[in-house]
Amino acid sequence: RRVEGWIVKSSRAQAGVGVIKRTLQRSRYRQAWIAANYLVRRGVAVPRPIAFVERRTMGVIWSNTYVCEFLQGCSDVEKCVAHLVHGGYNSKLIEDFLEHLAMAVNKLCESGAYHQDLSGKNIYTRDGRTFYFIDLDGVVIGKPYTEAQRLKNHIQLYDSFCDLLNDRFLVPFIQRMCPPEIDLRVWMPTVRKGQAERRRRIERIWEKQGVSRTRTE
């Protein structure tokens, strides 16, 4: 929930197994706080971490509360690109937006962190120049950024924009996030195939949940 200029995320364990799990796997519940501080120290933009509180009794953890900055005036990048496309903005503005986004993603990856869900809904901006990464529970730190992880991130990002933009925009965008040794003639078909598989998985989930297949803006 939002409290003035903060976002407060609280979770409480169910009695029994839930409490044991939260206590034994405490690092999992601390991950957003740990990742946020790690990324801030390395100059990667994230909602500024304010506090992390654990409620404990005799070493047993009952609840967690994470407090971070509210990103006033920001929207996720999927909405921003939709606004640029539907607002009739010229191609140069869209290209510049994607170029700065690619630079932000590269900085995240070069920091030694891997975001397991780097979809557009987890990246926010207010000006198209500075980009903030959210949902930091899914960030893994201190491990090499592998080719498989890079591919997963590129599939997530491609899936975020391919309904709005064609490959004229998306191929240069993906290329900016690839090291020189990657051959785009091989890489892009793999990304497209992965995106199609990802979309099918999501639509199956939507179908089970009774959600419309039409993606909302």
Side-chain angles (χ1 to χ4, degrees), residues 2-22:
R2 179 184 173 185
V3 180
E4 297 183 353
W6 301 343
I7 292 293
V8 179
K9 298 181 179 180
S10 298
S11 62
R12 181 181 297 273
Q14 298 285 340
V17 175
V19 174
I20 295 172
K21 181 179 177 181
R22 186 174 297 264

Side-chain angles (χ1 to χ4, degrees), residues 13-199:
Q14 298 285 340
V17 175
V19 174
I20 295 172
K21 181 179 177 181
R22 186 174 297 264
T23 302
L24 295 179
Q25 300 180 2
R26 62 191 66 191
S27 61
R28 172 185 171 187
Y29 297 94
R30 297 171 178 172
Q31 186 59 28
W33 169 254
I34 294 169
N37 282 280
Y38 176 92
L39 293 170
V40 166
R41 289 196 297 270
R42 283 155 182 80
V44 178
V46 299
R48 185 167 54 92
I50 307 298
F52 181 80
V53 180
E54 288 178 345
R55 179 173 172 266
R56 290 184 282 184
T57 303
M58 302 293 290
V60 176
I61 301 173
W62 294 89
S63 66
N64 309 99
T65 300
Y66 174 53
V67 184
C68 67
E69 170 191 16
F70 172 70
L71 296 175
Q72 181 71 44
C74 286
S75 298
D76 71 62
V77 295
E78 289 187 23
K79 291 179 180 176
C80 291
V81 168
H83 178 69
L84 290 173
V85 171
H86 299 316
Y89 291 86
N90 63 49
S91 298
K92 183 64 166 61
L93 282 176
I94 297 173
E95 291 167 357
D96 287 348
F97 183 94
L98 293 176
E99 180 179 357
H100 284 88
L101 174 56
M103 291 168 58
V105 171
N106 287 340
K107 188 170 185 177
L108 169 68
C109 299
E110 290 163 4
S111 74
Y114 164 58
H115 200 306
Q116 298 181 84
D117 187 8
L118 201 60
S119 64
K121 295 189 184 300
N122 286 331
I123 309 172
Y124 275 60
T125 187
R126 64 172 57 91
D127 59 6
R129 293 293 182 270
T130 300
F131 294 87
Y132 299 86
F133 299 96
I134 68 166
D135 195 19
L136 302 182
D137 300 273
V139 170
V140 177
I141 57 179
K143 295 183 179 180
Y145 189 56
T146 66
E147 185 169 301
Q149 291 170 339
R150 187 188 310 278
L151 178 61
K152 183 177 179 181
N153 281 168
H154 290 187
I155 289 169
Q156 291 162 344
L157 289 164
Y158 189 88
D159 188 49
S160 297
F161 300 124
C162 64
D163 291 336
L164 294 163
L165 301 172
N166 60 33
D167 279 0
R168 173 193 165 191
F169 295 99
L170 294 180
V171 171
F173 171 57
I174 296 295
Q175 185 176 21
R176 289 189 179 96
M177 298 180 290
C178 290
E181 62 270 18
I182 285 183
D183 186 345
L184 282 185
R185 294 171 297 181
V186 177
W187 190 255
M188 286 308 305
T190 307
V191 169
R192 294 186 194 100
K193 180 181 178 181
Q195 181 273 325
E197 293 171 350
R198 183 177 191 267
R199 184 67 62 86

